[in-house]
Amino acid sequence: MSGSRRPLVVGNWKMNGLGGDLATVAAIARHAAALPGVEAALCVPATLIERAARRAPGLAIGAQDCHAAPAGAFTGGVSAAMLADAGARLVIVGHSERRADGDDDDAIRAKAKAAIGAGLRVLLCVGERDEGDGAASVAAQLTRCLPQITGDVVVAYEPCWAIGTGRSPAVRRVVAVTRALREVVGGEGARVLYGGSVTPANAAALIGAGIDGLLVGGASLDAATFGAVLAAATATR
Ligand code: PGA
């Protein structure tokens, strides 16, 4: 049953993080280990995956994108198998910042399929571009992106207008959209997170309302702040 299991809280560092930031990864891992009531993961730049996974073996380290092809002449591309080989356990696909860079629904579905094939958990992001679009349009977007194969797929509802803006939808709106998305994925086991300007201040209300977890951008860059998000998500279950 959604709502009864541990919330999943995933940090997304985006294009931030150098070797000098591995101490922050280790500090986040310590916060996560002290809060067993929440399942934590951290998606770092591809260049940091291997070092982060070594430095924080107890924390699930993830990537932020992958190529749809397994290998080949794709200069600059990084395949899902390469990410898994580096130590990633999950990968974000369909983030709105990748969609803005040209990923369409077909490309995202192909990437999700490739990630499943490589044994990675997929964090599949969907969300409306304009405030006020109905839940049905977000659900339709998910239907177009969802690979029709069995795999570990977690959905993240991220309204584009809420990402990095300090604005987020009313909790009841998040509940309504995530419910619609859960129906698309089907099955009681489906998990749908929320992302977009999550902070220690709004995390508790979201988790308390039954949202399965959170995708956290800016507030995951600082270990104490991300630790406070993890603590808020734990305290409400
Ligand atoms: P934000 O980013 O928390 O900084 O709004 C969320 C995301 O892009 O996943």
Side-chain angles (χ1 to χ4, degrees), residues 40-129:
L42 185 64
C43 295
V44 297
T47 49
L48 275 187
I49 291 169
E50 186 151 10
R51 283 176 287 170
R54 277 188 212 278
R55 182 76 174 255
L59 181 67
I61 298 297
Q64 302 168 10
D65 187 32
C66 67
H67 201 283
F74 302 103
T75 301
V78 180
S79 73
M82 290 170 182
L83 298 171
D85 185 52
R89 292 196 237 159
L90 67 152
V91 61
I92 297 171
V93 300
H95 192 281
S96 67
E97 288 154 14
R98 302 301 322 164
R99 291 178 188 264
D101 242 14
D103 278 10
D104 61 13
D105 293 329
D106 289 343
I108 291 159
R109 194 173 59 248
K111 288 180 174 194
K113 199 171 166 198
I116 291 168
L120 294 171
R121 162 177 280 181
V122 175
L123 194 47
L124 179 55
C125 298
V126 293
E128 74 275 14
R129 189 142 289 285

Side-chain angles (χ1 to χ4, degrees), residues 3-18:
S4 61
R5 93 186 96 192
R6 291 192 301 163
L8 172 62
V9 179
V10 182
N12 173 14
W13 272 14
K14 310 192 178 188
M15 200 171 73
N16 297 287
L18 298 171

Side-chain angles (χ1 to χ4, degrees), residues 10-12 14 92 95-97 125 158 162-167 195-199 215-220:
V10 182
N12 173 14
K14 310 192 178 188
I92 297 171
H95 192 281
S96 67
E97 288 154 14
C125 298
E158 293 210 309
I163 294 175
T165 60
R167 297 192 303 128
S197 296
V198 171
T199 66
L215 181 54
V216 186
S220 71

Side-chain angles (χ1 to χ4, degrees), residues 226-237:
F226 193 44
V229 173
L230 295 173
T234 306
T236 50
R237 281 284 165 90

